[in-house]
Amino acid sequence: MTLAVRVIPCLDVDAGRVVKGVNFVDLRDAGDPVEMARVYDAAGADELTFLDITASSGDRSTTYDMVGQAAEQVFIPLTVGGGVRTTGDVDRLLRAGADKVGINTAAIARPEVIGEISQRFGNQVLVLSVDARRAPDQPSGFEVTTHGGRQSAGIDAVEWVRRASELGAGEILLNSMDADGTKQGFDLEMIRAVRGVTQVPLIASGGAGKLEHFPPAVEAGADAVLAASVFHFGSLTIQDVKDTLRAAGHTVR
């Protein structure tokens, strides 16, 4: 059975507003997150990802009330990330209405938290967010970054995905920091490299700019495609992307 390719808008939230920039800088305001979640649900999004982009660097928890309001408005799976450090944080987010929880910086600092979360809640709840960029000094040619791409973690991105999958990550959100916000296309080489070391579902993120960018990401190994600014500012619609994937021979919902 071929699983349908999921199309996922990402809401990068800073101080209660959806923002979008290039490589996480020069942020532009794109709207109210709860209202945008409702619009995307109606537009046929398969899931929504909600990232509090300054939660780890600003050291504050994700805004639970905003998650709760969004969960009341939408009827598709909601993944929430940003500032998640412990099983307690995951518990609070799930109670607030999240279906899945994204973790990045805290898992790098203490990989055991991956197993703790997946054992307590099931690995389907845990999305490992990997913000990776090209790094010639790493064996795979890709390194992991933290704090919204501002700091190198000094570890190989492909090896990290392999290890995290073994520890219990249920899904990988692979974001190319080099491509993020550039609209030049997904990093297909990175997607292929990561697909080669894990069987868990893989979400490709970073670089979507045109409809023709989406099918190659799936052909490189992605199970889902994620984008932000092209959806927020209306240059592409969810339906356009699904039609393009379908025309390229992929199953969509």
Side-chain angles (χ1 to χ4, degrees), residues 190-212:
M190 183 190 287
I191 295 168
R192 280 191 286 268
V194 167
R195 178 80 287 165
V197 298
T198 184
Q199 295 301 306
V200 304
L202 178 60
I203 305 166
S205 167
K210 301 177 183 159
L211 291 172
E212 55 264 33

Side-chain angles (χ1 to χ4, degrees), residues 47-171:
E47 295 184 13
L48 276 175
T49 294
F50 213 68
L51 293 180
D52 189 334
I53 62 170
T54 49
S56 287
S57 55
D59 201 41
R60 63 182 165 69
S61 325
T62 311
T63 36
Y64 296 96
D65 55 338
M66 189 164 55
V67 174
Q69 289 169 30
E72 285 171 8
Q73 298 274 342
V74 306
F75 303 96
I76 51 178
L78 193 61
T79 299
V80 184
V84 175
R85 296 175 184 87
T86 65
T87 54
D89 293 336
V90 174
D91 188 55
R92 282 184 69 188
L93 283 168
L94 295 176
R95 288 174 191 278
D99 298 283
K100 297 191 265 189
V101 175
I103 191 167
N104 177 351
T105 306
I108 294 164
R110 202 173 71 82
E112 306 81 59
V113 76
I114 296 173
E116 291 164 10
I117 293 169
S118 62
Q119 280 158 27
R120 180 166 167 191
F121 304 104
N123 74 339
Q124 78 287 345
V125 158
L126 183 61
V127 180
L128 181 76
S129 191
V130 180
D131 290 338
R133 66 183 174 201
R134 288 172 180 266
D137 55 330
Q138 292 293 343
S140 71
F142 302 100
E143 72 174 359
V144 177
T145 68
T146 61
H147 298 83
R150 286 190 284 279
Q151 295 177 24
S152 169
I155 56 175
D156 186 278
V158 174
E159 173 57 24
W160 171 232
V161 168
R162 186 194 64 73
R163 185 176 172 210
S165 300
E166 289 176 356
L167 287 169
E171 191 160 37

Side-chain angles (χ1 to χ4, degrees), residues 3-51:
L3 287 175
V5 177
R6 290 167 290 145
V7 180
I8 307 173
C10 180
L11 307 180
D12 291 329
V13 180
D14 184 16
R17 300 291 291 177
V18 176
V19 294
K20 188 61 200 165
V22 178
N23 310 111
F24 286 132
V25 294
D26 299 329
L27 299 175
R28 289 194 291 171
D29 190 302
D32 171 68
V34 177
E35 174 62 20
M36 289 183 71
R38 196 181 61 72
V39 168
Y40 280 132
D41 187 16
D46 296 306
E47 295 184 13
L48 276 175
T49 294
F50 213 68
L51 293 180

Side-chain angles (χ1 to χ4, degrees), residues 21-23 177-185 206-208:
V22 178
N23 310 111
M177 298 311 297
D178 298 317
D180 183 71
T182 63
K183 301 190 175 68
Q184 299 298 304

